[in-house]
């Protein structure tokens, strides 16, 4: 079964749009290289549009061929590095879900 991963972040007060754009560019660059991401079907990410109040600030949605492909993505050293160095220090709140379909 396919697996979709959805994660949302709310950034800490003072996180600039330029910083968020840099994070997005680094994530996209890693995804575009496709190294070690066998089974990644689709990946999208971006800042909230600001249409509804109370939303998170940023989201990532990724679909994989199976659970093993998701785990490769989750545990990929480049992914862990971007999270540890760029995302985690700026996150005020995080929510995630993975579901099969």
């Amino acid at each position: 079964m396919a697996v979709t991963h959805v994660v949302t972040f709310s950034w800490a007060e003072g996180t600039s749009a330029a910083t968020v754009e840099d994070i997005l560019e680094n994530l996209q660059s890693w995804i575009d290289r496709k190294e070690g991401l066998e089974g990644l079907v689709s990946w999208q990410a971006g800042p909230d549009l600001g249409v509804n109040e109370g939303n998170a600030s940023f989201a990532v949605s990724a679909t994989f061929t199976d659970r093993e492909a998701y785990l490769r993505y989750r545990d990929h050293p480049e992914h862990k590095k971007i999270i540890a160095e760029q995302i985690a220090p700026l996150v005020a709140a995080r929510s995630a879900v993975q579901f099969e379909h």
Side-chain angles (χ1 to χ4, degrees):
M1 296 185 90
V3 170
T4 294
H5 163 69
V6 179
V7 62
T8 63
F9 304 104
S10 292
W11 301 117
E13 187 74 29
T15 301
S16 71
T19 298
V20 173
E21 183 62 30
D22 188 47
I23 292 168
L24 181 56
E25 286 176 9
N26 286 334
L27 285 167
Q28 189 67 60
S29 175
W30 166 57
I31 293 296
D32 289 347
R33 287 193 307 272
K34 298 180 181 169
E35 297 166 357
L37 295 174
E38 297 80 11
L40 176 63
V41 176
S42 67
W43 186 92
Q44 301 84 30
D48 182 62
L49 295 175
V51 176
N52 298 318
E53 289 197 31
N55 283 0
S57 306
F58 189 87
V60 176
S61 175
T63 299
F64 305 88
T65 54
D66 54 29
R67 189 178 297 210
E68 290 74 26
Y70 163 70
L71 293 174
R72 277 193 298 276
Y73 165 89
R74 184 195 71 185
D75 297 338
H76 193 287
E78 183 81 11
H79 188 219
K80 287 185 168 196
K81 180 180 178 186
I82 293 169
I83 291 170
E85 294 178 4
Q86 293 188 284
I87 296 173
L90 300 175
V91 170
R94 178 187 180 276
S95 180
V97 63
Q98 298 79 40
F99 59 93
E100 291 183 317
H101 49 95

